[in-house]
Amino acid sequence: MSKARPTIADVASRAGVSKGAVSFALNGRPGLAQTTVDRILAAADDLGWRPSNRARSLSVSKAFALGLVITRDPAVLSSDPFFPAFIAGVESVLAPRGQALVLQVVTPGEDEAAGYRRLAQDGRVDGVFVSDLRHDDPRIELLTSLGLPAVTLNRPEGTSPFPAVCLDDRPGTIAVVEHLVGLGHRRIAHVAGPPAFVHATTRTAAFKAALAEAGLEPVAIEVSDFTAAGGIEATRRLLDLPDRPTAIVYANDRMAIAGLGAAQQAGLTVPGDLSVAGFDDSELAEFVHPGLTTVRADPYRFGEAAARTLNQLIDDQGEVADVELPPARLVIRRSTATPAVH
């Protein structure tokens, strides 16, 4: 005869609390001391008890799931420097609450709005994360019309009814330029991300402003697409200039690492002939040769904060304040040095 499945009453008895306290703890609701929450979660783990999401959703009209729509080619998503760490941060918050993350990967050119409508249909998720904000982003109006709670990753242009979790890219980008100027570089170029993305144009604007503050202008700004292939192509164009740059600042690490390789294949040494800097401080940045000077943005922490904020919005059904994360900061490694030619 099989052993009876443990119940919420068993968890309450093991933890020495009421069934109501167990419900509060497992649903992440406020009102319990953290030590009590920890004791309840430990009791649930000891007993091997897991809530039935179907029963929970029927009783409180919740899906116990959050949604994320990513517009990327699935073939390159695994090497993206941001989303895997961001999702890990989200899951660190969702897993203890018994929530799931519903991920929709939309190939560029497909109907992205349909992805959000699918998530909203029949209450499949309780709320969504909105990433890769665009200029005049139509998703804000769409999600408002769908009545779907949302958290935006940084603030969109114009008005938005949704809370934002914000990480300021500008201080890190400015610090990169100041670092290169301090080393003696005067011919500095930039490989930018797609101009449709707010965070890409923010980094480009910070790059230009920092150069202007130093009395300099960019050698060139090449617009790319955040991919390795795009980084290689942009780097080759910059290296073909009659008066090529002595330093290149890339809008993400993937383009920077690819560009570093392209420069080496062209017979240049890094940083002897060319200094290279990225943005993200992805896992590989420390281990390429030479180690990549970059900007640390901490997407894992971004994911944690976004998940907590979205759950607060869903649970409280009221106004939730924006969250300001520590700004991105410069990490100096060996891919940048004094230029050989001043």
Side-chain angles (χ1 to χ4, degrees), residues 72 76-86 203 226-228 251-255 257 279-285 294 297-300:
R72 289 285 192 281
V76 302
L77 185 59
S78 62
S79 61
D80 187 280
F82 177 83
F83 281 109
F86 174 82
R203 294 173 195 178
F226 285 141
T227 68
N252 76 347
D253 282 357
R254 182 159 49 174
M255 294 194 297
I257 292 170
F279 193 107
D280 286 321
D281 196 24
S282 55
E283 184 178 3
L284 288 179
T294 184
D298 200 352
Y300 183 92

Side-chain angles (χ1 to χ4, degrees), residues 260 276 285-293 333-336:
L260 188 154
V276 171
E286 184 178 358
F287 301 107
V288 294
H289 181 73
L292 182 67
T293 292
R333 298 194 178 99
R334 297 183 63 188
S335 68
T336 52

Side-chain angles (χ1 to χ4, degrees), residues 9-34:
D10 296 324
V11 176
S13 177
R14 172 69 68 93
V17 298
S18 68
K19 289 192 292 183
V22 174
S23 177
F24 267 54
L26 296 172
N27 289 315
R29 296 174 63 185
L32 296 177
Q34 187 59 48

Side-chain angles (χ1 to χ4, degrees), residues 169-182 206-207 210 249 277 293-295 328-332:
D169 291 346
R170 293 171 296 180
T173 303
I174 291 169
V176 168
V177 174
E178 291 176 343
H179 166 65
L180 292 170
V181 171
F207 170 81
V249 177
T293 292
T294 184
V295 175
R329 63 183 181 85
L330 176 64
V331 178
I332 299 174

Side-chain angles (χ1 to χ4, degrees), residues 310-326:
L310 184 51
N311 273 325
Q312 183 184 353
L313 178 65
I314 293 165
D315 292 344
D316 296 348
Q317 297 294 317
E319 186 173 343
V320 176
D322 291 351
V323 176
E324 297 285 350
L325 297 175

Side-chain angles (χ1 to χ4, degrees), residues 39-280:
R39 190 166 74 251
I40 291 170
L41 295 179
D45 285 340
D46 289 344
L47 292 170
W49 182 84
R50 295 292 182 270
S52 166
N53 275 358
R54 177 176 174 80
R56 292 165 72 200
S57 62
L58 288 173
S59 65
V60 298
S61 299
K62 282 188 177 182
F64 292 94
L66 305 181
L68 174 63
V69 178
I70 302 176
T71 305
R72 289 285 192 281
D73 183 340
V76 302
L77 185 59
S78 62
S79 61
D80 187 280
F82 177 83
F83 281 109
F86 174 82
I87 290 171
V90 169
E91 288 286 5
S92 73
V93 175
L94 268 54
R97 291 170 56 102
Q99 292 175 295
L101 177 65
V102 179
L103 178 64
Q104 297 249 353
V105 179
V106 180
T107 301
E110 290 186 359
D111 187 0
E112 183 183 33
Y116 289 99
R117 292 191 181 97
R118 284 193 296 268
L119 291 178
Q121 185 179 0
D122 299 324
R124 292 175 61 187
V125 298
D126 300 315
V128 294
F129 304 101
V130 184
S131 64
D132 286 339
L133 289 174
R134 292 77 182 265
H135 298 285
D136 300 318
D137 202 315
R139 293 174 297 173
I140 305 302
E141 183 177 353
L142 171 65
L143 294 172
T144 303
S145 69
L146 292 172
L148 196 57
V151 164
T152 61
L153 307 188
N154 285 313
R155 293 184 183 90
E157 294 178 334
T159 59
S160 169
F162 306 122
V165 176
C166 307
L167 189 150
D168 193 350
D169 291 346
R170 293 171 296 180
T173 303
I174 291 169
V176 168
V177 174
E178 291 176 343
H179 166 65
L180 292 170
V181 171
L183 289 171
H185 291 275
R186 297 295 179 267
R187 299 198 306 277
I188 305 173
H190 181 50
V191 176
F197 291 161
V198 172
H199 65 282
T201 55
T202 296
R203 294 173 195 178
T204 300
F207 170 81
K208 291 180 180 177
L211 276 183
E213 184 68 22
L216 302 172
E217 293 185 359
V219 168
I221 294 178
E222 288 287 340
V223 175
S224 191
D225 58 1
F226 285 141
T227 68
I232 291 171
E233 292 171 3
T235 302
R236 287 173 175 167
R237 290 194 294 270
L238 290 172
L239 297 183
D240 283 341
L241 293 174
D243 196 12
R244 65 170 178 81
T246 62
I248 305 176
V249 177
Y250 295 80
N252 76 347
D253 282 357
R254 182 159 49 174
M255 294 194 297
I257 292 170
L260 188 154
Q264 292 172 333
Q265 288 180 348
L268 300 179
T269 63
V270 176
D273 298 315
L274 179 71
S275 284
V276 171
F279 193 107
D280 286 321

